[in-house]
Amino acid sequence: MRMAGHTSRPSWTGLLALGLAGLSSVQALDLDADNNESVKKAAKIVATDMMSYYTGYRPGDNPGNLPDPYYWWEAGAMFNAIIDYWFVTGDDQWNDWTIQGMLWQAGDNAAFMPNNQTKTEGNDDQAFWGFTAMSAAERNFPNPPDDKPGWLEMAQATFNTQAPRWDDSSCGGGLRWQIFTWNNGYNYKNTISTGGFFNLAARLAKYTGNQTYADWAEKAWDWTYNVGFMTPEYHFWDGASDLDNCTEKNKIEWTYNAGVYLLGAANMYNLTESKKWKERTQKVLDATDVFFSKEAPNVMYERACETVNTCMVDQRSFKGYLARWMGATTQMAPFTYDQIMPRLKASAEAAAKTCTGGPKGRSCGLKWTDKKWDNTRDFGQQMAALEVIQSNLITRVAPPVTDDNGGTSKGDPSAGGKPEEPRPSSLMRKITTADRAGAGILTAMMMVAIGGSATWLCWD
């Protein structure tokens, strides 16, 4: 995943010009979030326009990749959105593209480290593909051919390549943002990388009943809190440089950091039924209040960049992940339902009102709180709108399956090939009821660039 100032991107004004070319007088999507068929119809329209950005299925193109300026990880997130779309609507028209893209990008060891990405891939990038494989297993998405790795195996392979990267040499542990020393950001430890690992570990623990995954989830949660990336009030900072042992935090809050920990905690609660994990789930959820507008009640917004028009390519999709994970949380921690669903409903209906742009008059805007098109078009915005709209169908579908309860995905606890360091042990133990200098300079420069875009909006 790439942060502000890290690489060239289309400007906001460029997007504005693109949007103005598609002005239309058509009506917004007709969405009644309480009506199942209305939600399905709106989701299909938004999903169709989202998938119009994807070219990986074309002869000679690279399956699983999005065209510039969109990043590799975002294609993984797209396929997750499509798996969820299929599951809640029954529409399978993009399933073959999803299976093809997933298998292609899984790479030789099934861990989503393909040759076309390994020089630039970060831990968070890999995690987003791992989430997609995990969702495919949890939703009994059509399995790959027998001679290919299964969805569960891909999620396990992702975990097995990330666990040996746990780095105790600085900041007391955690995962670095970047995997390789030559990449900008190698000296940055960030919340989404460790949070992605936590989320995946918790969901693997729930799916497999394997205690080691749960142990790693506990370790990742504790480190996030102890290093200060999670505040006592359950707000999540972006990260810090390990050159000062993570002392100076980058105090920007993003929706997806809260979301990735929310669903992980909900899975741990569902697994353990413990008061500790129930309380943690509730407090993370309560702290997401900062992402919901008071002027447009219960409507989600990306507070660190939307209000100052600085949202970059990655960040335009972030709200979608919080919406996705909030919806899934209602299934893992049902006590959150009454708090979550009014927000998903209000946000979905507001998002739908922005979908009046572009050549077809239905492209979705970034600012849901405006409840009208904001003259911008972007793949990530389309995906975010899809996620929040289709999340309103979560009550109409069954909860995730597990190995012991209807799951059909093929797994392999040793998946991932030869690890960079010894692999975690005891991966077969069942849960019991008792239970890098140059890069550093560039990292510092990067953090200054990020701070300039949004620091004034930090939580206080």
Side-chain angles (χ1 to χ4, degrees), residues 49-90:
D49 285 9
M50 179 187 77
M51 293 306 290
S52 72
Y53 287 83
Y54 179 61
T55 60
Y57 64 93
R58 298 175 182 173
D61 211 326
N62 193 337
N65 266 0
L66 283 163
D68 288 340
Y70 305 108
Y71 299 114
W72 175 73
W73 74 269
E74 209 164 356
M78 174 190 73
F79 290 129
N80 200 328
I82 289 300
I83 290 169
D84 290 343
Y85 170 81
W86 158 80
F87 187 72
V88 299
T89 69

mmCIF file of all heavy atoms in Angstrom, residues 49-90:
data_model
loop_
_atom_site.group_PDB
_atom_site.id
_atom_site.type_symbol
_atom_site.label_atom_id
_atom_site.label_comp_id
_atom_site.label_asym_id
_atom_site.label_seq_id
_atom_site.Cartn_x
_atom_site.Cartn_y
_atom_site.Cartn_z
ATOM 1 N N ASP A 49 -20.145 -1.075 -12.615
ATOM 2 C CA ASP A 49 -19.263 0.051 -12.914
ATOM 3 C C ASP A 49 -17.891 -0.126 -12.276
ATOM 4 O O ASP A 49 -16.869 0.279 -12.848
ATOM 5 C CB ASP A 49 -19.911 1.353 -12.447
ATOM 6 C CG ASP A 49 -21.039 1.799 -13.380
ATOM 7 O OD1 ASP A 49 -21.403 1.012 -14.276
ATOM 8 O OD2 ASP A 49 -21.550 2.917 -13.213
ATOM 9 N N MET A 50 -17.814 -0.731 -11.094
ATOM 10 C CA MET A 50 -16.514 -1.026 -10.492
ATOM 11 C C MET A 50 -15.721 -1.990 -11.365
ATOM 12 O O MET A 50 -14.539 -1.774 -11.655
ATOM 13 C CB MET A 50 -16.693 -1.638 -9.097
ATOM 14 C CG MET A 50 -15.372 -1.989 -8.422
ATOM 15 S SD MET A 50 -15.568 -2.906 -6.864
ATOM 16 C CE MET A 50 -15.956 -4.561 -7.505
ATOM 17 N N MET A 51 -16.353 -3.027 -11.824
ATOM 18 C CA MET A 51 -15.649 -4.037 -12.615
ATOM 19 C C MET A 51 -15.279 -3.527 -14.012
ATOM 20 O O MET A 51 -14.448 -4.135 -14.694
ATOM 21 C CB MET A 51 -16.485 -5.299 -12.706
ATOM 22 C CG MET A 51 -16.650 -6.018 -11.366
ATOM 23 S SD MET A 51 -15.077 -6.401 -10.545
ATOM 24 C CE MET A 51 -14.438 -7.684 -11.638
ATOM 25 N N SER A 52 -15.861 -2.411 -14.441
ATOM 26 C CA SER A 52 -15.480 -1.829 -15.735
ATOM 27 C C SER A 52 -14.046 -1.306 -15.713
ATOM 28 O O SER A 52 -13.432 -1.114 -16.768
ATOM 29 C CB SER A 52 -16.446 -0.700 -16.113
ATOM 30 O OG SER A 52 -16.253 0.458 -15.309
ATOM 31 N N TYR A 53 -13.485 -1.093 -14.501
ATOM 32 C CA TYR A 53 -12.088 -0.673 -14.391
ATOM 33 C C TYR A 53 -11.132 -1.844 -14.575
ATOM 34 O O TYR A 53 -9.959 -1.650 -14.880
ATOM 35 C CB TYR A 53 -11.827 -0.053 -13.016
ATOM 36 C CG TYR A 53 -12.403 1.319 -12.806
ATOM 37 C CD1 TYR A 53 -13.732 1.496 -12.424
ATOM 38 C CD2 TYR A 53 -11.612 2.457 -12.955
ATOM 39 C CE1 TYR A 53 -14.257 2.771 -12.199
ATOM 40 C CE2 TYR A 53 -12.131 3.732 -12.727
ATOM 41 C CZ TYR A 53 -13.463 3.875 -12.360
ATOM 42 O OH TYR A 53 -13.977 5.123 -12.145
ATOM 43 N N TYR A 54 -11.589 -3.044 -14.375
ATOM 44 C CA TYR A 54 -10.722 -4.224 -14.375
ATOM 45 C C TYR A 54 -10.463 -4.720 -15.789
ATOM 46 O O TYR A 54 -11.409 -4.921 -16.560
ATOM 47 C CB TYR A 54 -11.356 -5.333 -13.533
ATOM 48 C CG TYR A 54 -10.547 -6.606 -13.486
ATOM 49 C CD1 TYR A 54 -9.262 -6.611 -12.957
ATOM 50 C CD2 TYR A 54 -11.075 -7.801 -13.981
ATOM 51 C CE1 TYR A 54 -8.515 -7.780 -12.911
ATOM 52 C CE2 TYR A 54 -10.344 -8.977 -13.935
ATOM 53 C CZ TYR A 54 -9.056 -8.962 -13.402
ATOM 54 O OH TYR A 54 -8.321 -10.125 -13.366
ATOM 55 N N THR A 55 -9.193 -4.939 -16.113
ATOM 56 C CA THR A 55 -8.803 -5.388 -17.451
ATOM 57 C C THR A 55 -8.038 -6.703 -17.438
ATOM 58 O O THR A 55 -7.611 -7.184 -18.491
ATOM 59 C CB THR A 55 -7.929 -4.324 -18.139
ATOM 60 O OG1 THR A 55 -6.728 -4.105 -17.354
ATOM 61 C CG2 THR A 55 -8.675 -2.999 -18.268
ATOM 62 N N GLY A 56 -7.842 -7.286 -16.275
ATOM 63 C CA GLY A 56 -6.996 -8.468 -16.160
ATOM 64 C C GLY A 56 -7.500 -9.691 -16.893
ATOM 65 O O GLY A 56 -6.728 -10.625 -17.149
ATOM 66 N N TYR A 57 -8.765 -9.732 -17.231
ATOM 67 C CA TYR A 57 -9.325 -10.884 -17.940
ATOM 68 C C TYR A 57 -9.038 -10.840 -19.433
ATOM 69 O O TYR A 57 -9.243 -11.838 -20.140
ATOM 70 C CB TYR A 57 -10.852 -10.928 -17.743
ATOM 71 C CG TYR A 57 -11.556 -9.743 -18.354
ATOM 72 C CD1 TYR A 57 -12.066 -9.813 -19.645
ATOM 73 C CD2 TYR A 57 -11.688 -8.549 -17.645
ATOM 74 C CE1 TYR A 57 -12.690 -8.718 -20.220
ATOM 75 C CE2 TYR A 57 -12.308 -7.460 -18.207
ATOM 76 C CZ TYR A 57 -12.808 -7.533 -19.497
ATOM 77 O OH TYR A 57 -13.411 -6.442 -20.062
ATOM 78 N N ARG A 58 -8.560 -9.707 -19.945
ATOM 79 C CA ARG A 58 -8.349 -9.557 -21.384
ATOM 80 C C ARG A 58 -7.124 -10.332 -21.844
ATOM 81 O O ARG A 58 -6.123 -10.404 -21.113
ATOM 82 C CB ARG A 58 -8.193 -8.078 -21.747
ATOM 83 C CG ARG A 58 -9.407 -7.230 -21.433
ATOM 84 C CD ARG A 58 -9.143 -5.765 -21.712
ATOM 85 N NE ARG A 58 -10.293 -4.929 -21.376
ATOM 86 C CZ ARG A 58 -10.284 -3.608 -21.396
ATOM 87 N NH1 ARG A 58 -9.174 -2.952 -21.739
ATOM 88 N NH2 ARG A 58 -11.372 -2.929 -21.074
ATOM 89 N N PRO A 59 -7.142 -10.919 -23.038
ATOM 90 C CA PRO A 59 -5.976 -11.633 -23.573
ATOM 91 C C PRO A 59 -4.752 -10.737 -23.601
ATOM 92 O O PRO A 59 -4.819 -9.586 -24.051
ATOM 93 C CB PRO A 59 -6.417 -12.018 -24.998
ATOM 94 C CG PRO A 59 -7.910 -12.086 -24.923
ATOM 95 C CD PRO A 59 -8.314 -11.007 -23.959
ATOM 96 N N GLY A 60 -3.649 -11.235 -23.055
ATOM 97 C CA GLY A 60 -2.410 -10.482 -23.017
ATOM 98 C C GLY A 60 -2.243 -9.616 -21.796
ATOM 99 O O GLY A 60 -1.147 -9.104 -21.530
ATOM 100 N N ASP A 61 -3.316 -9.454 -21.023
ATOM 101 C CA ASP A 61 -3.231 -8.685 -19.783
ATOM 102 C C ASP A 61 -2.841 -9.620 -18.641
ATOM 103 O O ASP A 61 -2.761 -10.838 -18.813
ATOM 104 C CB ASP A 61 -4.568 -7.994 -19.499
ATOM 105 C CG ASP A 61 -4.405 -6.678 -18.750
ATOM 106 O OD1 ASP A 61 -3.472 -6.590 -17.927
ATOM 107 O OD2 ASP A 61 -5.202 -5.753 -18.992
ATOM 108 N N ASN A 62 -2.616 -9.049 -17.469
ATOM 109 C CA ASN A 62 -2.164 -9.828 -16.313
ATOM 110 C C ASN A 62 -3.348 -10.094 -15.395
ATOM 111 O O ASN A 62 -3.849 -9.183 -14.748
ATOM 112 C CB ASN A 62 -1.083 -9.033 -15.565
ATOM 113 C CG ASN A 62 -0.328 -9.865 -14.554
ATOM 114 O OD1 ASN A 62 -0.817 -10.891 -14.076
ATOM 115 N ND2 ASN A 62 0.865 -9.421 -14.208
ATOM 116 N N PRO A 63 -3.818 -11.329 -15.313
ATOM 117 C CA PRO A 63 -4.967 -11.609 -14.442
ATOM 118 C C PRO A 63 -4.703 -11.170 -13.005
ATOM 119 O O PRO A 63 -3.639 -11.435 -12.446
ATOM 120 C CB PRO A 63 -5.116 -13.130 -14.543
ATOM 121 C CG PRO A 63 -4.541 -13.475 -15.873
ATOM 122 C CD PRO A 63 -3.384 -12.524 -16.046
ATOM 123 N N GLY A 64 -5.672 -10.500 -12.434
ATOM 124 C CA GLY A 64 -5.555 -10.058 -11.059
ATOM 125 C C GLY A 64 -4.969 -8.679 -10.885
ATOM 126 O O GLY A 64 -4.850 -8.215 -9.748
ATOM 127 N N ASN A 65 -4.599 -7.995 -11.966
ATOM 128 C CA ASN A 65 -4.059 -6.644 -11.864
ATOM 129 C C ASN A 65 -5.072 -5.613 -12.330
ATOM 130 O O ASN A 65 -5.827 -5.854 -13.273
ATOM 131 C CB ASN A 65 -2.790 -6.492 -12.717
ATOM 132 C CG ASN A 65 -1.522 -6.725 -11.918
ATOM 133 O OD1 ASN A 65 -1.560 -7.011 -10.724
ATOM 134 N ND2 ASN A 65 -0.387 -6.606 -12.580
ATOM 135 N N LEU A 66 -5.053 -4.461 -11.688
ATOM 136 C CA LEU A 66 -5.783 -3.299 -12.157
ATOM 137 C C LEU A 66 -4.831 -2.394 -12.935
ATOM 138 O O LEU A 66 -3.626 -2.370 -12.647
ATOM 139 C CB LEU A 66 -6.357 -2.509 -10.971
ATOM 140 C CG LEU A 66 -7.599 -3.093 -10.301
ATOM 141 C CD1 LEU A 66 -7.786 -2.465 -8.919
ATOM 142 C CD2 LEU A 66 -8.836 -2.868 -11.155
ATOM 143 N N PRO A 67 -5.321 -1.628 -13.903
ATOM 144 C CA PRO A 67 -4.448 -0.701 -14.638
ATOM 145 C C PRO A 67 -4.023 0.462 -13.756
ATOM 146 O O PRO A 67 -4.623 0.734 -12.711
ATOM 147 C CB PRO A 67 -5.335 -0.224 -15.790
ATOM 148 C CG PRO A 67 -6.727 -0.339 -15.262
ATOM 149 C CD PRO A 67 -6.731 -1.557 -14.370
ATOM 150 N N ASP A 68 -2.958 1.168 -14.161
ATOM 151 C CA ASP A 68 -2.545 2.376 -13.456
ATOM 152 C C ASP A 68 -3.706 3.362 -13.420
ATOM 153 O O ASP A 68 -4.494 3.414 -14.361
ATOM 154 C CB ASP A 68 -1.351 3.019 -14.171
ATOM 155 C CG ASP A 68 -0.063 2.222 -13.983
ATOM 156 O OD1 ASP A 68 0.003 1.433 -13.030
ATOM 157 O OD2 ASP A 68 0.844 2.392 -14.814
ATOM 158 N N PRO A 69 -3.852 4.110 -12.346
ATOM 159 C CA PRO A 69 -2.909 4.305 -11.244
ATOM 160 C C PRO A 69 -3.177 3.400 -10.052
ATOM 161 O O PRO A 69 -2.662 3.651 -8.962
ATOM 162 C CB PRO A 69 -3.175 5.766 -10.860
ATOM 163 C CG PRO A 69 -4.667 5.894 -11.024
ATOM 164 C CD PRO A 69 -4.987 5.070 -12.255
ATOM 165 N N TYR A 70 -3.960 2.379 -10.245
ATOM 166 C CA TYR A 70 -4.385 1.579 -9.101
ATOM 167 C C TYR A 70 -3.370 0.502 -8.758
ATOM 168 O O TYR A 70 -2.735 -0.082 -9.633
ATOM 169 C CB TYR A 70 -5.776 0.989 -9.366
ATOM 170 C CG TYR A 70 -6.759 2.069 -9.714
ATOM 171 C CD1 TYR A 70 -7.243 2.216 -11.019
ATOM 172 C CD2 TYR A 70 -7.135 3.002 -8.752
ATOM 173 C CE1 TYR A 70 -8.095 3.257 -11.338
ATOM 174 C CE2 TYR A 70 -7.991 4.045 -9.070
ATOM 175 C CZ TYR A 70 -8.462 4.170 -10.367
ATOM 176 O OH TYR A 70 -9.291 5.213 -10.692
ATOM 177 N N TYR A 71 -3.243 0.243 -7.464
ATOM 178 C CA TYR A 71 -2.199 -0.634 -6.970
ATOM 179 C C TYR A 71 -2.663 -2.084 -6.881
ATOM 180 O O TYR A 71 -3.856 -2.383 -6.818
ATOM 181 C CB TYR A 71 -1.731 -0.152 -5.583
ATOM 182 C CG TYR A 71 -1.167 1.236 -5.602
ATOM 183 C CD1 TYR A 71 -1.803 2.285 -4.932
ATOM 184 C CD2 TYR A 71 0.003 1.508 -6.302
ATOM 185 C CE1 TYR A 71 -1.276 3.559 -4.948
ATOM 186 C CE2 TYR A 71 0.538 2.788 -6.318
ATOM 187 C CZ TYR A 71 -0.105 3.817 -5.650
ATOM 188 O OH TYR A 71 0.413 5.080 -5.668
ATOM 189 N N TRP A 72 -1.670 -2.953 -6.825
ATOM 190 C CA TRP A 72 -1.909 -4.397 -6.814
ATOM 191 C C TRP A 72 -2.805 -4.821 -5.658
ATOM 192 O O TRP A 72 -3.709 -5.636 -5.813
ATOM 193 C CB TRP A 72 -0.555 -5.105 -6.742
ATOM 194 C CG TRP A 72 -0.609 -6.582 -6.614
ATOM 195 C CD1 TRP A 72 -0.954 -7.488 -7.582
ATOM 196 C CD2 TRP A 72 -0.272 -7.347 -5.449
ATOM 197 N NE1 TRP A 72 -0.847 -8.769 -7.098
ATOM 198 C CE2 TRP A 72 -0.429 -8.709 -5.783
ATOM 199 C CE3 TRP A 72 0.163 -7.018 -4.163
ATOM 200 C CZ2 TRP A 72 -0.171 -9.741 -4.878
ATOM 201 C CZ3 TRP A 72 0.415 -8.036 -3.269
ATOM 202 C CH2 TRP A 72 0.243 -9.366 -3.635
ATOM 203 N N TRP A 73 -2.565 -4.268 -4.494
ATOM 204 C CA TRP A 73 -3.347 -4.684 -3.335
ATOM 205 C C TRP A 73 -4.830 -4.370 -3.514
ATOM 206 O O TRP A 73 -5.688 -5.101 -3.020
ATOM 207 C CB TRP A 73 -2.833 -3.997 -2.062
ATOM 208 C CG TRP A 73 -3.194 -2.550 -1.942
ATOM 209 C CD1 TRP A 73 -2.472 -1.477 -2.384
ATOM 210 C CD2 TRP A 73 -4.376 -2.007 -1.350
ATOM 211 N NE1 TRP A 73 -3.132 -0.311 -2.097
ATOM 212 C CE2 TRP A 73 -4.306 -0.603 -1.473
ATOM 213 C CE3 TRP A 73 -5.499 -2.577 -0.724
ATOM 214 C CZ2 TRP A 73 -5.302 0.250 -1.003
ATOM 215 C CZ3 TRP A 73 -6.503 -1.735 -0.254
ATOM 216 C CH2 TRP A 73 -6.395 -0.349 -0.394
ATOM 217 N N GLU A 74 -5.100 -3.276 -4.250
ATOM 218 C CA GLU A 74 -6.488 -2.871 -4.393
ATOM 219 C C GLU A 74 -7.267 -3.849 -5.264
ATOM 220 O O GLU A 74 -8.481 -4.000 -5.107
ATOM 221 C CB GLU A 74 -6.557 -1.454 -4.954
ATOM 222 C CG GLU A 74 -7.782 -0.698 -4.518
ATOM 223 C CD GLU A 74 -7.679 0.799 -4.732
ATOM 224 O OE1 GLU A 74 -6.610 1.298 -5.171
ATOM 225 O OE2 GLU A 74 -8.677 1.489 -4.453
ATOM 226 N N ALA A 75 -6.553 -4.536 -6.173
ATOM 227 C CA ALA A 75 -7.208 -5.594 -6.942
ATOM 228 C C ALA A 75 -7.602 -6.736 -6.023
ATOM 229 O O ALA A 75 -8.678 -7.333 -6.182
ATOM 230 C CB ALA A 75 -6.282 -6.091 -8.051
ATOM 231 N N GLY A 76 -6.747 -7.049 -5.055
ATOM 232 C CA GLY A 76 -7.118 -8.070 -4.082
ATOM 233 C C GLY A 76 -8.346 -7.679 -3.303
ATOM 234 O O GLY A 76 -9.250 -8.490 -3.066
ATOM 235 N N ALA A 77 -8.407 -6.410 -2.900
ATOM 236 C CA ALA A 77 -9.588 -5.925 -2.192
ATOM 237 C C ALA A 77 -10.828 -5.989 -3.073
ATOM 238 O O ALA A 77 -11.930 -6.290 -2.600
ATOM 239 C CB ALA A 77 -9.348 -4.491 -1.714
ATOM 240 N N MET A 78 -10.663 -5.720 -4.356
ATOM 241 C CA MET A 78 -11.780 -5.795 -5.297
ATOM 242 C C MET A 78 -12.374 -7.189 -5.342
ATOM 243 O O MET A 78 -13.598 -7.371 -5.307
ATOM 244 C CB MET A 78 -11.314 -5.384 -6.690
ATOM 245 C CG MET A 78 -12.352 -5.557 -7.794
ATOM 246 S SD MET A 78 -11.644 -5.338 -9.455
ATOM 247 C CE MET A 78 -10.691 -6.877 -9.614
ATOM 248 N N PHE A 79 -11.504 -8.191 -5.420
ATOM 249 C CA PHE A 79 -12.009 -9.565 -5.472
ATOM 250 C C PHE A 79 -12.732 -9.943 -4.184
ATOM 251 O O PHE A 79 -13.703 -10.701 -4.213
ATOM 252 C CB PHE A 79 -10.873 -10.546 -5.787
ATOM 253 C CG PHE A 79 -10.361 -10.446 -7.194
ATOM 254 C CD1 PHE A 79 -9.008 -10.305 -7.446
ATOM 255 C CD2 PHE A 79 -11.235 -10.494 -8.268
ATOM 256 C CE1 PHE A 79 -8.524 -10.216 -8.753
ATOM 257 C CE2 PHE A 79 -10.765 -10.406 -9.582
ATOM 258 C CZ PHE A 79 -9.404 -10.260 -9.814
ATOM 259 N N ASN A 80 -12.284 -9.410 -3.067
ATOM 260 C CA ASN A 80 -13.007 -9.654 -1.822
ATOM 261 C C ASN A 80 -14.400 -9.059 -1.907
ATOM 262 O O ASN A 80 -15.389 -9.690 -1.500
ATOM 263 C CB ASN A 80 -12.240 -9.044 -0.649
ATOM 264 C CG ASN A 80 -12.628 -9.648 0.688
ATOM 265 O OD1 ASN A 80 -13.766 -10.065 0.911
ATOM 266 N ND2 ASN A 80 -11.681 -9.695 1.597
ATOM 267 N N ALA A 81 -14.487 -7.849 -2.449
ATOM 268 C CA ALA A 81 -15.792 -7.220 -2.619
ATOM 269 C C ALA A 81 -16.696 -8.066 -3.513
ATOM 270 O O ALA A 81 -17.903 -8.191 -3.260
ATOM 271 C CB ALA A 81 -15.637 -5.808 -3.189
ATOM 272 N N ILE A 82 -16.113 -8.676 -4.534
ATOM 273 C CA ILE A 82 -16.912 -9.494 -5.454
ATOM 274 C C ILE A 82 -17.337 -10.804 -4.801
ATOM 275 O O ILE A 82 -18.462 -11.288 -5.020
ATOM 276 C CB ILE A 82 -16.142 -9.745 -6.759
ATOM 277 C CG1 ILE A 82 -16.073 -8.444 -7.559
ATOM 278 C CG2 ILE A 82 -16.768 -10.861 -7.590
ATOM 279 C CD1 ILE A 82 -17.430 -7.867 -7.941
ATOM 280 N N ILE A 83 -16.472 -11.382 -3.992
ATOM 281 C CA ILE A 83 -16.867 -12.593 -3.257
ATOM 282 C C ILE A 83 -18.044 -12.281 -2.349
ATOM 283 O O ILE A 83 -19.034 -13.024 -2.298
ATOM 284 C CB ILE A 83 -15.671 -13.146 -2.459
ATOM 285 C CG1 ILE A 83 -14.634 -13.735 -3.423
ATOM 286 C CG2 ILE A 83 -16.132 -14.202 -1.451
ATOM 287 C CD1 ILE A 83 -13.304 -14.063 -2.773
ATOM 288 N N ASP A 84 -17.958 -11.173 -1.629
ATOM 289 C CA ASP A 84 -19.067 -10.782 -0.769
ATOM 290 C C ASP A 84 -20.313 -10.477 -1.590
ATOM 291 O O ASP A 84 -21.436 -10.833 -1.192
ATOM 292 C CB ASP A 84 -18.678 -9.568 0.075
ATOM 293 C CG ASP A 84 -17.647 -9.899 1.141
ATOM 294 O OD1 ASP A 84 -17.457 -11.090 1.450
ATOM 295 O OD2 ASP A 84 -17.009 -8.955 1.667
ATOM 296 N N TYR A 85 -20.125 -9.818 -2.729
ATOM 297 C CA TYR A 85 -21.255 -9.502 -3.613
ATOM 298 C C TYR A 85 -21.962 -10.773 -4.065
ATOM 299 O O TYR A 85 -23.193 -10.874 -3.995
ATOM 300 C CB TYR A 85 -20.757 -8.707 -4.824
ATOM 301 C CG TYR A 85 -21.807 -8.540 -5.906
ATOM 302 C CD1 TYR A 85 -22.782 -7.551 -5.800
ATOM 303 C CD2 TYR A 85 -21.828 -9.372 -7.021
ATOM 304 C CE1 TYR A 85 -23.754 -7.395 -6.782
ATOM 305 C CE2 TYR A 85 -22.794 -9.227 -8.011
ATOM 306 C CZ TYR A 85 -23.754 -8.246 -7.883
ATOM 307 O OH TYR A 85 -24.725 -8.115 -8.847
ATOM 308 N N TRP A 86 -21.180 -11.739 -4.490
ATOM 309 C CA TRP A 86 -21.768 -13.028 -4.901
ATOM 310 C C TRP A 86 -22.528 -13.662 -3.750
ATOM 311 O O TRP A 86 -23.649 -14.152 -3.921
ATOM 312 C CB TRP A 86 -20.661 -13.974 -5.378
ATOM 313 C CG TRP A 86 -21.043 -15.413 -5.323
ATOM 314 C CD1 TRP A 86 -21.810 -16.101 -6.227
ATOM 315 C CD2 TRP A 86 -20.706 -16.366 -4.291
ATOM 316 N NE1 TRP A 86 -21.973 -17.414 -5.823
ATOM 317 C CE2 TRP A 86 -21.303 -17.594 -4.647
ATOM 318 C CE3 TRP A 86 -19.962 -16.298 -3.118
ATOM 319 C CZ2 TRP A 86 -21.181 -18.749 -3.862
ATOM 320 C CZ3 TRP A 86 -19.832 -17.433 -2.337
ATOM 321 C CH2 TRP A 86 -20.440 -18.635 -2.707
ATOM 322 N N PHE A 87 -21.941 -13.608 -2.567
ATOM 323 C CA PHE A 87 -22.542 -14.301 -1.444
ATOM 324 C C PHE A 87 -23.865 -13.677 -1.022
ATOM 325 O O PHE A 87 -24.823 -14.393 -0.717
ATOM 326 C CB PHE A 87 -21.574 -14.321 -0.256
ATOM 327 C CG PHE A 87 -22.057 -15.160 0.895
ATOM 328 C CD1 PHE A 87 -22.069 -16.541 0.797
ATOM 329 C CD2 PHE A 87 -22.497 -14.564 2.067
ATOM 330 C CE1 PHE A 87 -22.515 -17.330 1.856
ATOM 331 C CE2 PHE A 87 -22.942 -15.348 3.125
ATOM 332 C CZ PHE A 87 -22.953 -16.731 3.020
ATOM 333 N N VAL A 88 -23.938 -12.360 -1.019
ATOM 334 C CA VAL A 88 -25.164 -11.720 -0.527
ATOM 335 C C VAL A 88 -26.223 -11.527 -1.608
ATOM 336 O O VAL A 88 -27.399 -11.331 -1.287
ATOM 337 C CB VAL A 88 -24.866 -10.364 0.156
ATOM 338 C CG1 VAL A 88 -23.958 -10.570 1.357
ATOM 339 C CG2 VAL A 88 -24.279 -9.345 -0.818
ATOM 340 N N THR A 89 -25.828 -11.595 -2.903
ATOM 341 C CA THR A 89 -26.810 -11.395 -3.972
ATOM 342 C C THR A 89 -27.097 -12.641 -4.785
ATOM 343 O O THR A 89 -28.140 -12.727 -5.443
ATOM 344 C CB THR A 89 -26.357 -10.298 -4.956
ATOM 345 O OG1 THR A 89 -25.222 -10.769 -5.712
ATOM 346 C CG2 THR A 89 -26.007 -9.010 -4.213
ATOM 347 N N GLY A 90 -26.167 -13.590 -4.802
ATOM 348 C CA GLY A 90 -26.322 -14.772 -5.642
ATOM 349 C C GLY A 90 -25.882 -14.564 -7.075
ATOM 350 O O GLY A 90 -25.926 -15.509 -7.887
#
